[in-house]
Tab-separated table of all heavy atoms in Angstrom:
chain	number	residue	atom	x	y	z
H	160	THR	N	-159.851	-44.593	22.659
H	160	THR	CA	-160.445	-45.943	22.610
H	160	THR	C	-161.053	-46.288	23.926
H	160	THR	O	-160.432	-46.051	24.985
H	160	THR	CB	-159.371	-47.018	22.243
H	160	THR	OG1	-158.253	-46.848	23.124
H	160	THR	CG2	-158.929	-46.888	20.813
H	161	GLU	N	-162.255	-46.798	23.926
H	161	GLU	CA	-162.934	-47.101	25.187
H	161	GLU	C	-162.447	-48.452	25.723
H	161	GLU	O	-162.193	-49.382	24.948
H	161	GLU	CB	-164.464	-47.185	24.957
H	161	GLU	CG	-165.059	-45.817	24.606
H	161	GLU	CD	-164.870	-44.834	25.732
H	161	GLU	OE1	-164.943	-45.229	26.933
H	161	GLU	OE2	-164.562	-43.634	25.450
H	162	PRO	N	-162.333	-48.564	27.016
H	162	PRO	CA	-162.013	-49.884	27.610
H	162	PRO	C	-163.058	-50.902	27.246
H	162	PRO	O	-164.245	-50.598	27.072
H	162	PRO	CB	-162.044	-49.623	29.101
H	162	PRO	CG	-161.793	-48.130	29.217
H	162	PRO	CD	-162.465	-47.530	28.049
H	163	THR	N	-162.617	-52.170	27.085
H	163	THR	CA	-163.515	-53.239	26.727
H	163	THR	C	-163.323	-54.408	27.723
H	163	THR	O	-162.646	-54.273	28.712
H	163	THR	CB	-163.208	-53.756	25.312
H	163	THR	OG1	-161.867	-54.312	25.280
H	163	THR	CG2	-163.303	-52.613	24.289
H	164	GLU	N	-163.967	-55.529	27.408
H	164	GLU	CA	-163.811	-56.718	28.265
H	164	GLU	C	-162.403	-57.184	28.213
H	164	GLU	O	-161.641	-56.913	27.258
H	164	GLU	CB	-164.747	-57.826	27.751
H	164	GLU	CG	-166.233	-57.523	27.978
H	164	GLU	CD	-166.523	-57.339	29.474
H	164	GLU	OE1	-166.081	-58.138	30.317
H	164	GLU	OE2	-167.155	-56.320	29.817
H	165	PRO	N	-161.932	-57.891	29.251
H	165	PRO	CA	-160.545	-58.327	29.321
H	165	PRO	C	-160.077	-59.098	28.126
H	165	PRO	O	-160.795	-59.925	27.591
H	165	PRO	CB	-160.478	-59.208	30.592
H	165	PRO	CG	-161.612	-58.668	31.428
H	165	PRO	CD	-162.700	-58.268	30.469
H	166	THR	N	-158.854	-58.764	27.654
H	166	THR	CA	-158.211	-59.456	26.557
H	166	THR	C	-156.762	-59.752	26.935
H	166	THR	O	-156.287	-59.264	27.932
H	166	THR	CB	-158.237	-58.649	25.261
H	166	THR	OG1	-157.514	-57.443	25.498
H	166	THR	CG2	-159.665	-58.277	24.881
H	167	GLU	N	-156.075	-60.519	26.087
H	167	GLU	CA	-154.667	-60.715	26.298
H	167	GLU	C	-153.913	-59.458	25.905
H	167	GLU	O	-154.321	-58.732	24.995
H	167	GLU	CB	-154.191	-61.907	25.404
H	167	GLU	CG	-154.785	-63.205	25.802
H	167	GLU	CD	-154.405	-63.605	27.225
H	167	GLU	OE1	-153.261	-63.376	27.631
H	167	GLU	OE2	-155.258	-64.175	27.943
H	168	PRO	N	-152.772	-59.135	26.550
H	168	PRO	CA	-152.030	-57.977	26.176
H	168	PRO	C	-151.386	-58.160	24.782
H	168	PRO	O	-151.244	-59.298	24.300
H	168	PRO	CB	-150.917	-57.913	27.251
H	168	PRO	CG	-150.935	-59.195	27.936
H	168	PRO	CD	-152.232	-59.865	27.684
H	169	THR	N	-151.060	-57.078	24.119
H	169	THR	CA	-150.442	-57.116	22.778
H	169	THR	C	-149.169	-56.310	22.798
H	169	THR	O	-149.012	-55.359	23.568
H	169	THR	CB	-151.383	-56.553	21.771
H	169	THR	OG1	-150.764	-56.575	20.493
H	169	THR	CG2	-151.786	-55.086	22.035
H	170	ASP	N	-148.237	-56.650	21.939
H	170	ASP	CA	-146.992	-55.915	21.835
H	170	ASP	C	-147.056	-54.863	20.705
H	170	ASP	O	-146.084	-54.155	20.480
H	170	ASP	CB	-145.809	-56.868	21.595
H	170	ASP	CG	-145.510	-57.687	22.837
H	170	ASP	OD1	-145.772	-57.197	23.943
H	170	ASP	OD2	-145.051	-58.824	22.662
H	171	SER	N	-148.118	-54.826	19.958
H	171	SER	CA	-148.162	-53.913	18.831
H	171	SER	C	-148.851	-52.605	19.259
H	171	SER	O	-149.742	-52.600	20.086
H	171	SER	CB	-148.915	-54.530	17.648
H	171	SER	OG	-150.252	-54.816	18.010
H	172	ALA	N	-148.417	-51.492	18.638
H	172	ALA	CA	-148.958	-50.222	19.015
H	172	ALA	C	-149.791	-49.585	17.921
H	172	ALA	O	-150.322	-48.528	18.117
H	172	ALA	CB	-147.839	-49.271	19.349
H	173	GLY	N	-149.975	-50.216	16.766
H	173	GLY	CA	-150.816	-49.636	15.750
H	173	GLY	C	-150.185	-48.509	15.043
H	173	GLY	O	-149.033	-48.220	15.169
H	174	PRO	N	-150.966	-47.801	14.194
H	174	PRO	CA	-150.400	-46.753	13.323
H	174	PRO	C	-150.071	-45.475	14.166
H	174	PRO	O	-150.451	-45.370	15.336
H	174	PRO	CB	-151.545	-46.450	12.372
H	174	PRO	CG	-152.757	-46.847	13.080
H	174	PRO	CD	-152.399	-48.024	13.916
H	175	GLY	N	-149.355	-44.598	13.601
H	175	GLY	CA	-148.975	-43.384	14.221
H	175	GLY	C	-147.890	-42.723	13.364
H	175	GLY	O	-147.745	-43.055	12.212
H	176	PRO	N	-147.146	-41.738	13.801
H	176	PRO	CA	-147.201	-41.208	15.166
H	176	PRO	C	-148.179	-40.002	15.269
H	176	PRO	O	-148.610	-39.450	14.285
H	176	PRO	CB	-145.759	-40.733	15.394
H	176	PRO	CG	-145.319	-40.293	14.000
H	176	PRO	CD	-146.012	-41.222	13.033
H	177	THR	N	-148.453	-39.574	16.507
H	177	THR	CA	-149.181	-38.348	16.778
H	177	THR	C	-148.478	-37.655	17.882
H	177	THR	O	-147.647	-38.235	18.580
H	177	THR	CB	-150.630	-38.607	17.165
H	177	THR	OG1	-150.634	-39.443	18.380
H	177	THR	CG2	-151.407	-39.400	16.091
H	178	THR	N	-148.780	-36.376	18.065
H	178	THR	CA	-148.172	-35.654	19.204
H	178	THR	C	-149.328	-35.133	20.113
H	178	THR	O	-150.417	-34.812	19.613
H	178	THR	CB	-147.301	-34.497	18.730
H	178	THR	OG1	-148.113	-33.600	17.958
H	178	THR	CG2	-146.143	-34.972	17.935
H	179	VAL	N	-149.038	-35.094	21.357
H	179	VAL	CA	-149.968	-34.588	22.344
H	179	VAL	C	-149.247	-33.579	23.203
H	179	VAL	O	-148.155	-33.889	23.733
H	179	VAL	CB	-150.587	-35.713	23.206
H	179	VAL	CG1	-151.425	-35.086	24.359
H	179	VAL	CG2	-151.455	-36.625	22.371
H	180	ARG	N	-149.795	-32.387	23.367
H	180	ARG	CA	-149.179	-31.372	24.205
H	180	ARG	C	-149.959	-31.275	25.482
H	180	ARG	O	-151.173	-30.989	25.503
H	180	ARG	CB	-149.212	-30.013	23.463
H	180	ARG	CG	-148.286	-28.976	24.105
H	180	ARG	CD	-148.030	-27.833	23.103
H	180	ARG	NE	-147.031	-26.920	23.655
H	180	ARG	CZ	-147.313	-25.643	24.005
H	180	ARG	NH1	-148.545	-25.202	23.884
H	180	ARG	NH2	-146.378	-24.860	24.476
H	181	ALA	N	-149.267	-31.517	26.589
H	181	ALA	CA	-149.914	-31.536	27.919
H	181	ALA	C	-149.180	-30.524	28.809
H	181	ALA	O	-148.047	-30.147	28.570
H	181	ALA	CB	-149.855	-32.904	28.520
H	182	ARG	N	-149.895	-30.125	29.859
H	182	ARG	CA	-149.242	-29.227	30.842
H	182	ARG	C	-148.282	-30.006	31.758
H	182	ARG	O	-147.265	-29.499	32.204
H	182	ARG	CB	-150.302	-28.476	31.649
H	182	ARG	CG	-151.172	-27.599	30.740
H	182	ARG	CD	-152.406	-27.100	31.452
H	182	ARG	NE	-152.072	-26.140	32.498
H	182	ARG	CZ	-152.937	-25.704	33.382
H	182	ARG	NH1	-154.177	-26.175	33.420
H	182	ARG	NH2	-152.591	-24.795	34.258
H	183	TYR	N	-148.618	-31.266	32.056
H	183	TYR	CA	-147.772	-32.177	32.839
H	183	TYR	C	-147.941	-33.571	32.267
H	183	TYR	O	-148.956	-33.924	31.667
H	183	TYR	CB	-148.095	-32.139	34.319
H	183	TYR	CG	-147.752	-30.851	35.007
H	183	TYR	CD1	-148.696	-29.852	35.148
H	183	TYR	CD2	-146.445	-30.626	35.475
H	183	TYR	CE1	-148.389	-28.634	35.788
H	183	TYR	CE2	-146.116	-29.398	36.079
H	183	TYR	CZ	-147.064	-28.429	36.233
H	183	TYR	OH	-146.752	-27.221	36.816
H	184	LEU	N	-146.907	-34.412	32.504
H	184	LEU	CA	-146.923	-35.800	32.076
H	184	LEU	C	-146.469	-36.669	33.289
H	184	LEU	O	-145.554	-36.280	33.984
H	184	LEU	CB	-146.052	-36.020	30.882
H	184	LEU	CG	-146.024	-37.437	30.263
H	184	LEU	CD1	-145.752	-37.308	28.758
H	184	LEU	CD2	-144.959	-38.340	30.857
H	185	VAL	N	-147.123	-37.791	33.464
H	185	VAL	CA	-146.750	-38.734	34.506
H	185	VAL	C	-146.531	-40.096	33.935
H	185	VAL	O	-147.459	-40.627	33.243
H	185	VAL	CB	-147.829	-38.783	35.640
H	185	VAL	CG1	-147.335	-39.673	36.777
H	185	VAL	CG2	-148.212	-37.418	36.158
H	186	GLY	N	-145.376	-40.665	34.208
H	186	GLY	CA	-145.045	-42.002	33.711
H	186	GLY	C	-145.359	-43.005	34.769
H	186	GLY	O	-144.738	-43.042	35.835
H	187	THR	N	-146.359	-43.844	34.499
H	187	THR	CA	-146.760	-44.984	35.408
H	187	THR	C	-146.659	-46.256	34.600
H	187	THR	O	-147.464	-47.171	34.744
H	187	THR	CB	-148.156	-44.773	35.960
H	187	THR	OG1	-149.090	-44.667	34.888
H	187	THR	CG2	-148.262	-43.475	36.772
H	188	ASP	N	-145.660	-46.325	33.731
H	188	ASP	CA	-145.559	-47.371	32.713
H	188	ASP	C	-144.591	-48.488	33.070
H	188	ASP	O	-143.997	-49.139	32.182
H	188	ASP	CB	-145.252	-46.769	31.333
H	188	ASP	CG	-144.064	-45.837	31.316
H	188	ASP	OD1	-143.675	-45.368	32.411
H	188	ASP	OD2	-143.526	-45.571	30.248
Side-chain angles (χ1 to χ4, degrees):
T160 50
E161 293 299 321
T163 64
E164 291 300 312
T166 62
E167 295 297 322
T169 179
D170 289 331
S171 62
T177 61
T178 59
V179 172
R180 194 163 186 249
R182 298 168 70 192
Y183 291 95
L184 184 149
V185 185
T187 59
D188 51 341

